[in-house]
Amino acid sequence: MRGLPPGPIAQGAPARARGIAAVELALLLVPLLLIVLGVAEFGRAIHTFNTLGKGARAAARHLSQHGPGDATVQAEARCLAVHGRADCSGAPLAPGLSTAQVQVCDALACPATHANQATGEGVVNLASVPITGYVFDSVLGIALPGVGTVLGDRRFPTI
């Protein structure tokens, strides 16, 4: 079998096709980078949400080990939820988190929903530590100005 004789299309194709790959890369690079940044930012948001949940859980556990109404223990619980330490030292677990966003509910602060429960061994202090009003700080707003307004409110629900 004989191949086709080299013609003008076969000879000039490599020279003309060189720029096609660069154009295709330029067209696909922007959407691919946006997808990668979006996935990374979503992962950061989930990590922050889980960190806040663990802090609130540690604070509620601390409250349940003490009697209701103790102001010192409540302050320690707020510090545990925000800083991960009972003495409020160190950086917050999440950027922008403050003790003002942490509420403490026990048998005295919320008697309708957190009454002490009697057991055969004594009384259990029911406690909860909701974190409200935390706004997730998106890095995409810095990298891509205007994205924050497109994404809307980045306020987490009560944790």
Side-chain angles (χ1 to χ4, degrees), residues 3-14 16:
L4 295 174
I9 295 174
Q11 289 175 352
R16 287 189 312 212

Side-chain angles (χ1 to χ4, degrees), residues 65-133:
Q65 295 172 353
H66 297 84
D70 189 351
T72 305
V73 173
Q74 290 179 355
E76 289 173 350
R78 283 188 181 88
C79 289
L80 271 172
V82 173
H83 298 280
R85 298 177 179 171
D87 61 354
C88 281
S89 64
L93 296 175
L97 182 62
S98 70
T99 55
Q101 295 169 314
V102 179
Q103 288 79 37
V104 173
C105 262
D106 60 14
L108 294 179
C110 306
T113 57
H114 291 75
N116 283 336
Q117 299 294 313
T119 66
E121 303 269 331
V123 176
V124 174
N125 180 25
L126 296 182
S128 64
V129 181
I131 298 174
T132 57

Side-chain angles (χ1 to χ4, degrees), residues 27-46:
L27 289 174
L28 292 176
L29 193 61
V30 173
L32 287 175
L33 282 177
L34 286 175
I35 290 171
V36 168
L37 286 174
V39 168
E41 194 65 10
F42 187 68
R44 278 188 63 240
I46 290 174

Side-chain angles (χ1 to χ4, degrees), residues 37-54:
L37 286 174
V39 168
E41 194 65 10
F42 187 68
R44 278 188 63 240
I46 290 174
H47 173 65
T48 302
F49 189 83
N50 285 339
T51 300
L52 294 176
K54 287 179 181 181

